[in-house]
């Protein structure tokens, strides 16, 4: 999602492959973005056929396999968008250092704002037209009419592009913080404007020798995240949404903001490169143990008690979620760095189209849902069929759209 991820390119006429690595490009981050983007697509297919009606087109499960899809959605939700924000945060300082405050914000508005408008004005009306037809028929049965423009405004939200909305806000806050810090530095040193003095390289002001965070620091962060999430959900429980802004999971705001900040710190301190293999293994272990310990609470909790409102079940849920997210992020980062830090032709094709897939996948999934509405099968079977078609179709559509003139500048 972060457009500056791996922007380094090979010299003209030379393609970097698994046998000719480019030392300036973090291939494992590119590959993480591919995997997470595919997970977003699968997440929304699971919402289509599970028991969580949080998508444009749904067919609620009529058999027990829907619970498998619900579990898949729950595990994804615990970490994957936070991981996206962490990756975006990781590449934010370098972009700001390279461009300066105003060009940085202009670039964010172009690369994030234009796709957001594209979704709101073109993609969303197509994706959600079925919802309009259903509601229009309901109005007609009562003898009322429902113009589309009223439905469009009344149901206004950014859909999956809420991520871009929040990322724009984070970029603005980051730019303000950096600008104020630069002014304080200028005032303290009596120097010229930050970034304009030839003796100052802003990209090296707070870089240090890469050193992995200590286990104690990771544990304290996890505990702090759990407590902050628990406190936040007293006010903003899991079942709360922000319709106009299209924020489906505002209860995860603490994780999203803290992971973005972690990404910024990780860049400055070289954490991804310094993490040991042992840290990655322990990350998976912690995530697994936390999940097994959480299952009895999940199975016995009364309806609504896990959502927040200060319940002890909500505290346990926030603790599991935080431990699972931190553990999985550690494990996946180290695994991809050690074993998937290269790209062949397939990954080199998938990577530049990942953001476009994120922007464009919703109408593809809705169309497939309607196309397979006739199929009577267990929920997990329909999920498998649609998922197998959705992933290649989404990347094919992304490729076609990015072939349009200038489209690849913002997608």
């Amino acid at each position: 999602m972060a457009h500056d991820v791996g922007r380094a390119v090979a010299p003209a006429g030379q393609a970097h492959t698994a046998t000719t690595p480019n030392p300036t490009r973090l291939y494992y981050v590119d590959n993480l973005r591919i995997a997470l983007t595919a997970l977003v697509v699968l997440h929304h297919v699971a919402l289509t056929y599970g028991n969580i009606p949080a998508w444009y087109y749904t067919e609620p499960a009529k058999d027990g396999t829907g619970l498998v899809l619900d579990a898949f959605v729950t595990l994804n939700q615990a970490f994957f968008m936070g991981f996206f924000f962490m990756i975006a945060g990781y590449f934010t300082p370098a972009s700001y250092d390279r461009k300066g405050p105003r060009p940085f914000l202009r670039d964010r508005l172009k690369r994030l704002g234009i796709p957001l408008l594209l979704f709101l004005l073109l993609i969303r009306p197509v994706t959600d037209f079925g919802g309009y037809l259903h509601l229009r028929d309901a109005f007609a049965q009562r003898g009322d009419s429902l113009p589309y423009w009223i439905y469009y405004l009344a149901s206004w939200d950014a859909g999956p592009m809420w991520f871009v909305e929040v990322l724009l806000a984070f970029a603005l806050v980051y730019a303000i913080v950096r600008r104020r810090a630069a002014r304080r530095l200028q005032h303290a040193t009596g120097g010229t404007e930050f970034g304009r003095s030839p003796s100052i390289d802003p990209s090296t002001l707070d870089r240090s020798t890469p050193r992995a965070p200590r286990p104690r620091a990771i544990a304290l962060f996890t505990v702090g995240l759990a407590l902050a999430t628990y406190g936040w959900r007293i006010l903003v429980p899991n079942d709360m949404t922000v319709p106009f802004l299209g924020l489906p999971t505002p209860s995860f705001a603490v994780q999203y903001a803290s992971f973005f900040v972690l990404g910024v710190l990780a860049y400055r301190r070289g954490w991804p490169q310094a993490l040991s293999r042992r840290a990655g293994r322990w990350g998976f272990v912690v995530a697994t143990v936390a999940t097994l310990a959480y299952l009895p609470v999940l199975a016995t909790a009364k309806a609504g008690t896990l959502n927040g409102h200060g319940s002890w079940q909500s505290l346990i849920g926030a603790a599991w979620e935080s431990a699972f997210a931190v553990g999985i992020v550690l494990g996946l980062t180290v695994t991809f760095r050690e074993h998937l830090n290269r790209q062949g032709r397939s990954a080199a094709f998938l990577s530049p189209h990942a953001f476009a897939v994120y922007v464009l996948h919703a109408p593809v999934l809705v169309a497939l849902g309607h196309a397979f509405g006739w199929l009577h099968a267990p929920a997990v079977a329909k999920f498998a069929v649609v998922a197998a078609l959705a992933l290649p179709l989404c990347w094919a559509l992304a490729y076609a759209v990015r072939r349009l003139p200038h489209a690849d500048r913002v997608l």
Side-chain angles (χ1 to χ4, degrees):
M1 296 306 147
H3 281 280
D4 293 296
V5 173
R7 280 287 177 183
V9 295
Q14 178 181 344
H16 289 292
T17 66
T19 57
T20 60
N22 178 2
T24 64
R25 184 163 185 143
L26 301 178
Y27 286 112
Y28 73 93
V29 179
D30 279 353
N31 293 332
L32 272 170
R33 289 174 63 242
I34 295 170
L36 290 173
T37 302
L39 201 56
V40 168
V41 175
L42 297 178
H43 183 88
H44 289 145
V45 177
L47 288 176
T48 300
Y49 298 111
N51 300 293
I52 305 173
W55 188 238
Y56 295 105
Y57 175 86
T58 59
E59 292 182 21
K62 295 181 175 61
D63 63 275
T65 64
L67 295 176
V68 176
L69 300 181
D70 297 343
F72 176 70
V73 167
T74 301
L75 291 173
N76 290 342
Q77 188 62 61
F79 83 96
F80 74 150
M81 296 311 298
F83 205 173
F84 266 133
F85 280 113
M86 183 179 291
I87 293 173
Y90 183 85
F91 289 96
T92 295
S95 178
Y96 186 97
D97 293 344
R98 188 170 61 252
K99 298 167 184 172
R102 291 184 180 179
F104 168 78
L105 288 176
R106 283 197 300 267
D107 180 73
R108 295 300 88 187
L109 284 173
K110 180 181 77 172
R111 294 185 180 277
L112 298 176
I114 292 177
L116 177 59
L117 288 176
L118 171 69
F119 183 89
L120 289 172
L121 300 179
L122 295 178
I123 299 173
R124 178 179 167 266
V126 174
T127 303
D128 198 27
F129 196 71
Y132 164 69
L133 294 178
H134 177 76
L135 196 58
R136 186 191 65 177
D137 291 343
F139 272 62
Q141 291 176 3
R142 299 187 324 214
D144 298 323
S145 62
L146 179 63
Y148 180 76
W149 68 270
I150 293 179
Y151 173 81
Y152 179 79
L153 294 177
S155 62
W156 177 277
D157 69 66
M161 293 297 283
W162 67 267
F163 169 77
V164 172
E165 284 184 332
V166 176
L167 197 54
L168 277 170
F170 285 174
L172 177 61
V173 171
Y174 179 83
I176 292 173
V177 171
R178 283 289 302 271
R179 189 66 171 169
R180 289 183 176 179
R183 287 176 178 172
R184 286 197 298 269
L185 177 64
Q186 179 185 350
H187 178 75
T189 60
T192 59
E193 184 179 354
F194 183 75
R196 295 189 180 277
S197 170
S199 63
I200 297 177
D201 179 4
S203 67
T204 62
L205 283 177
D206 55 354
R207 296 297 293 272
S208 58
T209 302
R211 185 174 64 178
R214 296 172 182 263
R216 181 182 179 184
I218 296 173
L220 288 175
F221 169 79
T222 305
V223 172
L225 175 61
L227 293 175
T229 299
Y230 170 70
W232 175 250
R233 287 179 181 169
I234 295 175
L235 302 175
V236 184
N238 275 334
D239 52 358
M240 179 178 176
T241 60
V242 183
F244 183 78
L245 294 178
L247 303 180
T249 54
S251 61
F252 282 79
V254 173
Q255 185 195 99
Y256 298 155
S258 62
F259 274 36
F260 181 86
V261 173
L262 277 183
V264 172
L265 295 176
Y267 168 76
R268 292 301 190 194
R269 301 178 183 182
W271 286 343
Q273 292 74 31
L275 286 171
S276 66
R277 294 182 179 182
R278 184 181 181 184
R281 290 193 296 269
W282 271 107
F284 285 134
V285 169
V286 168
T288 302
V289 171
T291 301
L292 293 176
Y294 180 53
L295 287 178
V297 177
L298 183 64
T300 58
K302 295 181 179 179
T305 56
L306 291 171
N307 290 334
H309 309 288
S311 68
W312 68 266
Q313 294 93 337
S314 173
L315 176 60
I316 300 300
W320 164 76
E321 195 177 88
S322 301
F324 183 83
V326 171
I328 287 293
V329 167
L330 283 172
L332 289 178
T333 299
V334 172
T335 298
F336 274 70
R337 187 196 68 198
E338 293 298 314
H339 303 291
L340 295 168
N341 195 20
R342 59 182 65 193
Q343 285 189 343
R345 290 187 176 182
S346 296
F349 169 80
L350 297 174
S351 178
H353 302 303
F355 182 62
V357 168
Y358 187 94
V359 175
L360 300 168
H361 75 280
V364 175
L365 301 192
V366 170
L368 286 172
H370 284 290
F372 284 91
W374 58 271
L375 179 60
H376 299 287
V380 74
K382 294 195 74 169
F383 165 83
V385 171
V386 172
L389 293 172
L391 289 173
L393 285 176
C394 286
W395 255 275
L397 177 61
Y399 170 78
V401 170
R402 292 185 80 248
R403 294 275 291 178
L404 298 174
H406 310 300
D408 60 348
R409 296 182 182 180
V410 295
L411 289 175

